[in-house]
């Protein structure tokens, strides 16, 4: 008879493998990934960018502290999520925006978009986009006044020009790629955003499925409509590189909290975002639809998750 | 319950909008200006008062099985009268409230008071109930619309509040502003309520302790 006592294994409850990942480390990586776009916006919009970005980040941190104090929650500004929200919001604001409007946007993003829903991890919508949507509805003129980079002359965004049917004197694709065009602070430079997005993909913080299905859908749909309308091959590329698509696809549609967790769900999410973006851009009243498309898909994320849930191993298929 | 209590409960402890959260749809839709809020509140109070009196007076002859259609007919009659009166004497308010005047017919507060109060009580308590509920609802509408008009249009009852360029946030007089305002007010009132309950519990506890120690 064996002595059972000696052969007992150590039993602990899962998880058994721990990674050193934490919210603050991930947020640090997101900040690293956003830095090329930050440098690009500082280069193109100079002091205007410094003012708006600083205002947004500081206002986001202050609102987070105030909201968490009032709600008697633990103050968690050191996890860096408020900084990321403030920075992302600043990236989708025009450089000439009055600073008090930018500060209100940050406060709305943090307090209404995040803390009222229960704080980080419980928000339904991307907080930065909530802030932007609030500002667009409240101060439509200030939110759509653009300046061209470097010289600061009032201009229109490339997609705005396209919407008005301008064909002569559009910024070149090269300018769009580098970011030397009018637009929101952080959205103009596709190059810088792609670099940051690739860093996040490399680090494994975001899943390729959302950005690729999102970008792919926009490209394919604009290629089809471009061909039908007899536009050249520049047309889909213009939609691909212009506006907030890169910023949205890599940094906002990939938010862990507000997007599906299943693999098929993420592809559906990306497809939906792409479809809505193209519909708003080509048929809607606004020249740009990235913000609303992501917010609308955030709304159906729980539904997508529910219908793409993997069957439990050994479970029985549901009869319809 | 005393008549006074029937009157005050509608304003505070059973405020139809802030405590019972009834009649939200018209409240969110028309509270874009204080004038609209007052107009809606007065029209609502008139209909509620008349329908409560009529239903209370007829409560013994309305057969139980068809009471809801009967209430609707009675309420619809008074709504039509109020609508015609407003069309004749306050055409501006009539246009700005639009479809929400005829929709008072299906306002769940009026039907709710008929079902929950007027068909069980006499005429005098029903009048007090209608007045209390009507004033409570009007006050709630004025509070919501005051926030929305000042923040969203920079005016109060049509008069400019801020001098110079008004930094008003347009969203507050758009539909999302209604939800945001109502949500914030409800959160604030619930917080006050919780504080009050906690204070009372603490007081009771200390009284109980004193009694224990004195025994």
């Amino acid at each position: 008879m064996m002595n059972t006592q000696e052969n007992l294994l150590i039993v602990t409850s899962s998880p058994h493998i721990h990674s050193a990942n934490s919210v603050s480390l991930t947020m640090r990586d997101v900040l690293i990934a956003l830095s090329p776009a930050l440098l690009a916006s500082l280069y193109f919009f100079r002091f205007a960018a410094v003012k708006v970005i600083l205002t947004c980040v500081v206002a986001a941190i202050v609102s987070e502290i105030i909201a968490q104090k009032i709600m008697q929650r633990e103050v968690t500004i050191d996890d860096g999520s408020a900084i990321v929200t403030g920075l992302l919001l600043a990236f989708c604001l025009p450089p000439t925006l009055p600073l008090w409007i930018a500060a209100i946007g940050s406060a709305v993003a943090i307090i209404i978009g995040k803390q009222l829903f229960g704080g980080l991890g419980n928000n339904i919508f991307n907080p930065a986009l909530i802030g932007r949507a609030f500002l667009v509805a409240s101060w439509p003129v200030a939110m759509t006044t653009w300046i061209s980079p470097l010289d600061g002359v009032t201009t229109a965004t490339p997609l705005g020009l396209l919407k008005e049917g301008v064909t002569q004197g559009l910024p070149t694709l090269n300018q769009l790629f580098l970011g030397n065009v009018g637009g929101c602070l952080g959205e103009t430079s596709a190059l810088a955003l792609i670099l940051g997005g690739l860093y996040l993909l490399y680090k494994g913080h975001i899943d390729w499925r959302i950005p690729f299905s999102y970008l792919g859908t926009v490209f394919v749909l604009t290629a089809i409509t471009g061909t039908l309308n007899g536009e050249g091959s520049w047309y889909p590329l213009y939609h691909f590189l212009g506006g907030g698509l890169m910023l949205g696809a890599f940094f906002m549609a990939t938010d862990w909290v507000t997007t599906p967790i299943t693999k098929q769900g993420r592809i559906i999410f990306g497809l939906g975002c792409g479809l809505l973006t193209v519909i708003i851009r080509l048929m809607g009243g606004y020249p740009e639809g990235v913000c609303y498309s992501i917010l609308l898909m955030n709304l159906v994320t729980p539904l997508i998750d529910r219908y793409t849930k993997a069957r439990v191993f050994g479970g029985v298929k549901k009869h319809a | 319950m005393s008549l006074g209590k029937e009157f005050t409960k509608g304003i505070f402890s059973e405020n139809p909008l802030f405590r019972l959260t009834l009649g939200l749809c018209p409240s969110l839709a028309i509270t874009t200006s204080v004038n609209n809020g007052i107009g809606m509140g007065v029209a609502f109070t008139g209909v509620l008062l008349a329908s409560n009196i009529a239903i209370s007076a007829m409560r013994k002859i309305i057969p139980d099985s068809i009471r809801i259609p009967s209430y609707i007919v009675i309420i619809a009659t008074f709504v039509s009268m109020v609508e015609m009166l407003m069309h004749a004497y306050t055409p501006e308010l009539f246009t700005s409230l639009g479809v929400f005047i005829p929709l008072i017919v299906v306002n769940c507060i009026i039907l709710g008071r008929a079902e929950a109060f007027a068909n069980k009580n006499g005429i005098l308590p029903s009048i007090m109930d209608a007045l209390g509920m009507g004033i409570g609802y009007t006050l709630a509408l004025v509070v919501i619309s005051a926030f929305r008009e000042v923040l969203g249009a920079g005016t109060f009852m049509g008069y400019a509040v801020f001098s110079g360029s008004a930094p008003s946030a347009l969203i507050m007089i758009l539909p999302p502003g209604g939800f945001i305002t109502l949500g914030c007010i409800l959160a604030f009132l619930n917080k006050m309520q919780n504080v009050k309950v906690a204070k009372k519990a603490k007081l009771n506890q200390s009284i109980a302790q004193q009694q224990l120690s004195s025994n």
Side-chain angles (χ1 to χ4, degrees):
Chain A
M1 196 63 183
M2 259 181 20
N3 187 347
T4 46
Q5 282 289 323
E6 281 172 18
N7 287 320
L8 276 181
L9 298 171
I10 299 167
V11 179
T12 56
S13 102
S14 60
H16 302 288
I17 303 169
H18 299 265
S19 82
N21 251 341
S22 66
V23 173
S24 48
L25 278 181
T26 325
M27 289 299 168
R28 198 195 60 194
D29 274 344
V30 174
L31 287 177
I32 293 173
L34 283 170
S35 54
L38 179 66
L39 292 177
S41 76
L42 292 181
Y43 172 75
F44 286 123
F45 297 106
R46 304 289 158 98
F47 196 55
V50 179
K51 281 193 294 184
V52 173
I53 291 171
L54 266 183
T55 309
C56 279
V57 172
V58 171
I61 296 173
V62 172
S63 327
E64 178 121 316
I65 296 176
I66 292 173
Q68 288 182 325
K69 285 261 189 237
I70 289 178
M71 296 183 192
Q72 291 161 356
R73 294 197 183 121
E74 195 191 341
V75 175
T76 55
I77 38 147
D78 50 349
D79 70 9
S81 64
I83 301 172
V84 169
T85 301
L87 196 57
L88 281 177
L89 175 68
F91 275 10
C92 52
L93 297 178
T96 49
L97 194 70
L99 296 182
W100 60 271
I101 294 184
I104 289 178
S106 264
V108 168
I110 293 289
I111 296 171
I112 295 182
K114 188 169 144 196
Q115 292 298 343
L116 285 187
F117 282 99
L120 184 68
N122 294 314
N123 46 312
I124 302 173
F125 299 106
N126 187 318
L129 289 179
I130 286 284
R132 178 183 153 81
F134 186 96
L135 297 185
V136 171
S138 293
W139 295 280
V141 177
M143 284 296 288
T144 48
T145 307
W146 313 103
I147 53 169
S148 65
L150 303 174
D151 57 4
V153 177
T154 309
T155 180
T157 60
L159 288 179
L161 292 169
L162 209 58
K163 184 111 198 167
E164 286 162 20
V166 178
T167 47
Q168 298 300 310
L170 282 173
T172 62
L173 283 174
N174 209 5
Q175 280 177 306
L176 276 182
F177 185 64
L178 291 175
N180 191 11
V181 291
C184 294
L185 279 173
E187 72 174 18
T188 56
S189 176
L191 172 67
L193 291 164
I194 292 172
L195 279 178
L198 289 179
Y199 176 75
L200 284 183
L201 280 173
Y202 166 72
K203 280 284 198 172
H205 290 313
I206 62 174
D207 186 1
W208 59 270
R209 287 177 182 84
I210 292 175
F212 278 65
S213 58
Y214 190 175
L215 295 171
T217 310
V218 171
F219 188 79
V220 169
L221 286 178
T222 50
I224 293 171
T225 50
T227 319
L228 290 179
N229 295 335
E231 308 278 5
S233 59
W234 60 274
Y235 187 77
L237 277 172
Y238 220 80
H239 276 285
F240 194 66
L241 297 173
L245 185 61
M246 287 294 163
L247 181 64
F250 281 113
F251 291 96
M252 298 188 170
T254 54
D255 178 26
W256 314 285
V257 180
T258 57
T259 54
I261 52 170
T262 60
K263 287 171 186 164
Q264 306 103 297
R266 287 178 171 164
I267 291 182
I268 296 172
F269 186 88
L271 287 173
C273 283
L275 184 66
L276 287 170
T277 303
V278 173
I279 289 176
I280 296 174
R281 277 188 184 180
L282 299 183
M283 295 145 131
Y286 291 108
E288 175 59 303
V290 170
C291 171
Y292 293 113
S293 72
I294 297 175
L295 284 175
L296 282 168
M297 290 309 287
N298 283 162
L299 193 66
V300 292
T301 292
L303 196 69
I304 296 176
D305 267 338
R306 197 161 150 184
Y307 282 108
T308 55
K309 199 164 57 181
R311 191 150 45 91
V312 177
F313 183 70
V316 185
K317 246 188 198 168
K318 255 192 212 151
H319 290 284
Chain B
M1 239 199 229
S2 68
L3 287 180
K5 206 119 188 224
E6 299 295 0
F7 177 69
T8 53
K9 73 167 195 286
I11 302 176
F12 301 108
S13 65
E14 287 181 35
N15 186 298
L17 197 52
F18 290 153
R19 280 277 151 251
L20 308 180
T21 54
L22 292 173
L24 290 179
C25 173
S27 321
L28 290 170
I30 56 93
T31 49
T32 50
S33 73
V34 177
N35 286 341
N36 276 2
I38 295 173
M40 184 69 181
V42 170
F44 168 88
T45 310
V47 173
L48 181 60
L49 187 61
S51 76
N52 254 15
I53 293 172
I55 288 165
S56 173
M58 292 193 273
R59 69 185 188 278
K60 290 194 177 115
I61 46 172
I62 297 175
D64 214 29
S65 51
I66 55 154
R67 63 185 195 285
I68 301 285
S70 318
Y71 298 161
I72 294 289
V73 171
I74 293 168
I75 297 167
T77 310
F78 292 119
V79 170
S80 307
M81 287 158 66
V82 166
E83 189 187 358
M84 287 175 203
L85 281 171
M86 288 178 82
H87 201 166
Y89 294 104
T90 56
E92 233 168 82
L93 196 62
F94 180 82
T95 0
S96 71
L97 291 181
V99 74
F100 289 97
I101 303 172
L103 278 180
I104 296 176
V105 176
V106 287
N107 189 310
C108 48
I109 305 170
I110 296 185
L111 194 61
R113 290 334 285 172
E115 177 78 1
F117 197 89
N119 78 339
K120 297 188 187 98
N121 291 284
I123 293 180
L124 204 56
S126 295
I127 291 176
M128 297 315 275
D129 178 71
L131 285 176
M133 287 287 163
I135 291 171
Y137 188 63
T138 311
L139 281 179
L141 290 181
V142 169
V143 170
I144 298 176
S145 53
F147 276 110
R148 290 183 68 187
E149 193 184 337
V150 170
L151 293 177
T155 58
F156 183 80
M157 294 185 79
Y159 299 103
V161 174
F162 305 107
S163 56
S165 62
S168 46
L170 199 59
I171 195 170
M172 294 310 283
I173 54 170
L174 298 174
F179 285 96
I180 293 172
T181 313
L182 183 64
C184 291
I185 294 174
L186 286 182
F188 176 74
L189 290 177
N190 286 348
K191 179 83 188 164
M192 293 288 107
Q193 182 81 5
N194 290 346
V195 169
K196 221 163 107 186
V197 170
K199 249 186 196 163
K200 218 173 181 178
K202 218 174 171 183
L203 200 71
N204 286 344
Q205 210 178 15
S206 63
I207 291 171
Q209 269 172 355
Q210 274 175 359
Q211 281 174 340
L212 269 178
S213 57
S214 65
N215 285 346

